[in-house]
Amino acid sequence: MFVARDYADGRKADNIGYANFHMKILNSNQEVVYPSASLQKVMTGAMIVQLINETSHSKDPVTQNSLLSRWYPNMKKANQITVGNLMTQTSGIIDTKSESYSGKVLSESAAIEATVHRINHNGLASKGIFRYNNDNYILLAGIIRKVTGKSYAQNFESRIVRRLGLDSTYMWNTVPGKRVKAVSYLYSAGKDYKHAKEPKNNLLSYILGAGNIYTTPEDYYKFQRGLQNGKILNASDYHYLTNLKTKNGTYSGGLYIQSYKHGDGTIKMVYGSLNADNYGNWVELTSGNKKGIIMFLNQTDVVDHSVESPIKSAGLKILDQLNPNIFR
């Protein structure tokens, strides 16, 4: 487990346990990287906002009101779903197999085609109601590809990694051999490091733009700062990303936004896990990135991956130490 916390007066990082128990590689090893899971979604959302800005004066601007039929003419009800619906998980997509996968690794285009096929097969529910689903962000990744004429991976590298100088963040299939991919474990019956698992490549290829990168807490903090300091987005863009007009509830652009329990201001939260593995990622920061927690766990004791359990319990204790009036 790696926990980075309290960024007000300098970062504090705690490394606990093994990234690879069999190889006796600790989480403190500087070569260790972790699956991002859903923490990637806000990166995809940020790239969409970049494209909205870049195309604003073109003859074919991308906006939050742009209909999906422009890019997915063969998708059912694509003429009723907007980019904003995807960004806020209010498209009506109800695909229950967005983290089930075939036995083969998919190309980016094949992953998007498979997503459209599943949506057409399953149908859609009523638009406007919050239904969290990876498909929304896979489709956004496809829009990035279609608008730019470049792969999602190329866009990710140029628009996120290079702009921020991230040296420990990679697409799933470009992690250098010297890096150590953290293995996930189940804590069971009072025993550590049971049932070692790593994400399967065919799963990671399947969830394009929605959870198929590796990163570290340090790099992810740089990214969160980049959402407001002009390197990825500026403060106005960040407000737009997290306050989309089609917003339903508290989710917008890949983040959950919540007002302080006591006082003015907001906090941003995002959770991540991968189906059938025992990773658990949790980020909760003040909107100005000065206080909060970035927690990457590679061992949990919950089969259903609910972040409401021991993961959240441990994190809340840290947040309470920082400022219980803000976070709870």
Side-chain angles (χ1 to χ4, degrees), residues 95-322:
D95 177 18
T96 60
K97 295 185 177 181
S98 64
E99 268 190 48
S100 300
Y101 47 91
S102 65
K104 60 182 180 181
V105 171
L106 301 179
S107 66
E108 288 191 6
S109 60
I112 296 163
E113 289 173 7
T115 300
V116 172
H117 175 77
R118 292 194 310 275
I119 293 169
N120 286 343
H121 177 75
N122 294 324
L124 290 97
S126 299
K127 188 179 75 168
I129 298 173
F130 180 81
R131 290 182 178 85
Y132 189 93
N133 198 289
N134 286 329
D135 290 358
N136 290 293
Y137 278 75
I138 297 172
L139 293 177
L140 287 172
I143 291 172
I144 292 169
R145 284 169 47 89
K146 292 172 185 290
V147 172
T148 64
K150 298 179 181 179
S151 70
Y152 178 90
Q154 289 173 311
N155 278 282
F156 181 76
E157 179 70 22
S158 63
R159 293 175 178 276
I160 303 294
V161 174
R162 289 181 196 165
R163 290 193 189 189
L164 293 173
L166 304 181
D167 57 10
S168 300
T169 299
Y170 311 95
M171 292 297 298
W172 67 274
N173 56 347
T174 63
V175 179
K178 68 175 183 177
R179 290 290 188 175
V180 177
K181 296 178 182 178
V183 178
S184 79
Y185 301 93
L186 177 70
Y187 180 79
S188 177
K191 295 182 179 180
D192 287 320
Y193 306 111
K194 308 292 287 185
H195 305 295
K197 285 187 176 182
E198 293 184 61
K200 295 185 181 298
N201 287 342
N202 44 1
L203 168 62
L204 294 178
S205 72
Y206 205 77
I207 50 175
L208 176 68
N212 68 339
I213 65 166
Y214 282 83
T215 188
T216 64
E218 299 99 324
D219 269 14
Y220 200 74
Y221 178 60
K222 290 179 184 177
F223 167 73
Q224 285 293 334
R225 292 184 63 189
L227 287 174
Q228 294 168 273
N229 65 12
K231 292 186 177 181
I232 301 299
L233 304 176
N234 59 33
S236 176
D237 293 331
Y238 169 76
H239 183 268
Y240 178 84
L241 175 72
T242 55
N243 290 273
L244 290 169
K245 292 179 181 178
T246 54
K247 179 179 170 183
N248 184 292
T250 62
Y251 187 95
S252 182
L255 294 171
Y256 293 91
I257 304 298
Q258 179 176 299
S259 298
Y260 290 172
K261 294 296 183 182
H262 304 283
D264 298 327
T266 60
I267 55 176
K268 52 186 176 179
M269 299 172 288
V270 60
Y271 310 110
S273 64
L274 289 172
N275 185 39
D277 292 318
N278 291 290
Y279 301 99
N281 303 338
W282 179 19
V283 176
E284 187 159 342
L285 298 168
T286 55
S287 58
N289 303 303
K290 291 186 176 181
K291 283 186 178 289
I293 184 172
I294 298 177
M295 177 185 285
F296 283 42
L297 284 78
N298 65 314
Q299 178 172 252
T300 68
D301 64 357
V302 281
V303 177
D304 64 359
H305 301 280
S306 171
V307 81
E308 297 293 334
S309 51
I311 302 170
K312 193 162 189 177
S313 177
L316 285 174
K317 290 179 181 178
I318 295 172
L319 293 173
D320 283 345
Q321 292 175 4
L322 298 180

